[in-house]
Amino acid sequence: MDRSTAPPQQHKQPSRKGKRAWRKNVDVSEVQEGLEVVREEVIKGGIIAEKSSDALFTLDTTGSANIQNSYNKIHKPLKSDQILAQRSLVPAIDSRKRSGVTNGIVEPTSKRRKSNGVSPQEYERLKIRAYGGEAVTKDIIKSDTAPKYDPWAEDDVEVQDLRFSYLEKAKPVRAPKSLTEAPISLLGSAKVMPAVSKPRPGTSYNPMFEDWDKILTEEGNKEVEAEMKRRQEAKAEEEQQARIVEAQHERDDLLTEDESAWEGIESEYEGAEWLQKRRPERKTPAERNKVNRRKEAERQAKRDIEAKRRTQQALQIKAIALQVHSRDTTKNMAIATIGDSSDEEIDDRVLRRRKLGKNALPAKPLELVLPDELQDSLRLLKPEGNLLGDRFRNLMVRGKIESRKPISQPKKARRTYTEKWTYKDFTISA
């Protein structure tokens, strides 16, 4: 019979009817492993399943030192917290005064102690810890010495690589001319305005009546003059518009009359005499030479006059130098006199006509309190004004910066993209 077609064979199993078969074929490995585990637990201190929770677990109240160290490396505490966290074991010094009562220990006379009981060495140590000592003073820059870095100084000349010779060289940074010039004050009185001007007495929250009434009268007169000027300008504008309309009507009437009178009138260029006029003839060479000689003589005369004037100025150099020196001296004295008058009130609303820049300075806000707004207590006073705006306008009036308008919609730069042909300039090495 073929093996591939035979049925599956059933192997003979030993009989389990006897006791010997039971002991031989029963698997007791799990029981043996359990007994081994229990035996090891008994050796180590007892069976775990029979113990209570308090004997097995403990509550950690201190925390891990490794975790604390890793956290401190990332999150460093402040130096002030470290100083405050340090607690000295030495008790504090008693500040009560004692009348000659000591603890029986006689100190040597060589030790000099301060009146508050702190030794000079301890005092120096505490001062270094509080103020930093040399660690802080070494970073302080002295004002009497020149700074080490100058942003406007010329850098050392760098040797350019021949491979990049076709690139444009960077332009050096140059200091502007105005850096060494004094700012120009925009005050109409040409006085030197201080950085922080003194407030007027009448602008106080509780001013004297005379000072307040003076400012109120001045501001009222200015407003009346401004209103009268505005009405005059409006009236002049109305009169100009009326004259323009009247002149337009008159012009239309004149054009109508001219058109009726123009008909039938013959032009002076329509006759035969205009056609018979001769053209101007060309000049001969002798006449041209004569004109050239005359022009050359006129130029020579002008040169002689200029040379004579320069000779006279050269002879008067000393007189001119003395005159310029006296004028500069007078000007410097006037400027010094103006600068010394710092106690006087400076009106920064009156500016000179020639402004610095294209835009006009912003008008100064009115610093005046009306009668119904006056308060007799500082608690009832309402905060007004803006220190930042006042400081900004002060810088513009002193000529430190120029007035500009805020740019709400900045213009975008127009860029044109072109293809360069430098990639064609190459050489083939042999």
Side-chain angles (χ1 to χ4, degrees):
M1 185 176 180
D2 190 5
R3 182 178 291 183
S4 62
T5 58
Q9 297 180 4
Q10 296 181 355
H11 299 284
K12 292 183 179 182
Q13 297 181 358
S15 177
R16 296 184 178 182
K17 294 181 180 179
K19 292 185 179 180
R20 291 183 178 179
W22 294 354
R23 298 191 194 97
K24 185 177 181 180
N25 299 314
V26 174
D27 186 11
V28 293
S29 59
E30 294 182 359
V31 177
Q32 293 293 337
E33 291 177 0
L35 292 175
E36 291 291 338
V37 172
V38 171
R39 199 175 294 114
E40 289 179 1
E41 291 180 356
V42 170
I43 292 172
K44 293 180 179 180
I47 300 174
I48 297 175
E50 297 178 356
K51 289 185 178 182
S52 61
S53 300
D54 297 337
L56 296 175
F57 303 100
T58 58
L59 184 62
D60 186 7
T61 57
T62 59
S64 176
N66 297 332
I67 296 175
Q68 183 66 30
N69 293 335
S70 62
Y71 179 81
N72 292 338
K73 289 180 180 178
I74 301 174
H75 306 282
K76 292 183 179 180
L78 297 177
K79 192 67 178 178
S80 58
D81 296 340
Q82 294 179 2
I83 295 173
L84 294 175
Q86 294 178 358
R87 291 291 181 267
S88 177
L89 298 178
V90 180
I93 299 173
D94 192 0
S95 60
R96 292 179 298 174
K97 293 183 178 180
R98 302 181 183 274
S99 59
V101 179
T102 62
N103 54 1
I105 300 174
V106 180
E107 296 181 355
T109 56
S110 60
K111 293 184 178 180
R112 296 182 179 179
R113 308 191 64 85
K114 299 180 71 69
S115 59
N116 53 4
V118 182
S119 63
Q121 294 80 4
E122 184 70 12
Y123 176 75
E124 292 295 332
R125 188 184 67 82
L126 294 175
K127 187 169 67 172
I128 291 173
R129 173 173 290 187
Y131 299 105
E134 295 182 358
V136 176
T137 56
K138 69 179 182 181
D139 297 334
I140 299 175
I141 300 175
K142 297 182 180 180
S143 59
D144 55 348
T145 59
K148 296 182 179 179
Y149 175 71
D150 187 6
W152 303 109
E154 296 182 359
D155 299 334
D156 297 335
V157 179
E158 298 181 357
V159 179
Q160 190 176 13
D161 194 351
L162 297 177
R163 295 176 299 173
F164 307 107
S165 59
Y166 60 91
L167 296 176
E168 295 181 359
K169 296 182 180 179
K171 296 181 179 179
V173 180
R174 296 182 180 178
K177 295 181 180 179
S178 58
L179 192 65
T180 57
E181 298 177 357
I184 302 173
S185 177
L186 300 183
L187 291 176
S189 58
K191 293 183 178 180
V192 179
M193 185 176 180
V196 180
S197 57
K198 296 181 180 179
R200 304 175 70 180
T203 58
S204 174
Y205 77 98
N206 190 14
M208 300 294 291
F209 177 76
E210 293 78 7
D211 300 333
W212 175 79
D213 185 63
K214 179 181 178 181
I215 297 178
L216 181 64
T217 305
E218 292 178 358
E219 298 297 336
N221 295 336
K222 290 181 181 179
E223 293 296 331
V224 170
E225 292 177 0
E227 181 65 20
M228 292 177 63
K229 185 178 181 181
R230 186 190 64 81
R231 291 185 179 183
Q232 291 177 1
E233 292 178 355
K235 185 177 180 181
E237 183 67 22
E238 293 178 358
E239 292 178 355
Q240 185 178 2
Q241 294 295 334
R243 287 196 299 268
I244 290 172
V245 173
E246 185 179 356
Q248 187 69 25
H249 290 305
E250 292 179 358
R251 184 179 180 184
D252 294 342
D253 297 341
L254 291 173
L255 288 175
T256 306
E257 294 176 359
D258 292 343
E259 289 177 358
S260 60
W262 184 260
E263 298 176 356
I265 298 177
E266 186 179 0
S267 176
E268 61 178 353
Y269 300 105
E270 295 178 0
E273 296 179 358
W274 179 75
L275 296 174
Q276 295 176 359
K277 288 183 178 180
R278 295 179 60 184
R279 296 176 61 185
E281 298 179 356
R282 298 180 64 182
K283 294 180 180 180
T284 61
E287 291 176 348
R288 292 196 199 98
N289 295 335
K290 184 178 181 180
V291 172
N292 293 335
R293 286 195 299 271
R294 179 172 56 80
K295 291 182 178 179
E296 183 63 26
E298 291 178 357
R299 286 194 291 268
Q300 185 62 32
K302 288 182 180 179
R303 287 195 291 267
D304 296 341
I305 293 172
E306 183 67 19
K308 185 178 180 180
R309 186 177 62 83
R310 290 181 179 177
T311 305
Q312 292 178 355
Q313 288 182 356
L315 296 175
Q316 298 177 356
I317 286 176
K318 293 184 178 181
I320 294 172
L322 291 174
Q323 184 179 0
V324 171
H325 180 70
S326 61
R327 184 176 59 189
D328 294 343
T329 305
T330 307
K331 185 177 180 180
N332 294 335
M333 291 176 62
I335 293 173
T337 304
I338 293 172
D340 293 340
S341 59
S342 57
D343 298 338
E344 301 178 1
E345 292 185 2
I346 299 175
D347 191 0
D348 56 350
R349 291 174 296 179
V350 181
L351 306 175
R352 67 174 190 172
R353 293 184 179 180
R354 187 176 180 182
K355 55 190 177 182
L356 183 63
K358 298 180 180 179
N359 303 320
L361 265 72
K364 185 178 181 181
L366 181 62
E367 299 177 353
L368 180 65
V369 182
L370 298 178
D372 54 346
E373 297 176 351
L374 284 173
Q375 303 292 342
D376 55 352
S377 176
L378 188 59
R379 295 180 179 179
L380 302 176
L381 182 64
K382 296 180 181 179
E384 297 180 0
N386 188 355
L387 293 177
L388 180 61
D390 297 343
R391 181 64 176 167
F392 184 66
R393 188 179 184 278
N394 182 273
L395 290 174
M396 288 190 290
V397 172
R398 293 165 57 199
K400 298 288 185 179
I401 57 176
E402 60 182 28
S403 58
R404 295 185 179 179
K405 293 182 179 179
I407 301 175
S408 57
Q409 295 181 355
K411 295 182 180 180
K412 296 182 179 179
R414 295 182 180 179
R415 295 183 176 88
T416 56
Y417 298 93
T418 58
E419 181 182 0
K420 292 188 176 182
W421 290 58
T422 54
Y423 66 91
K424 291 187 177 182
D425 301 334
F426 62 91
T427 56
I428 301 175
S429 60

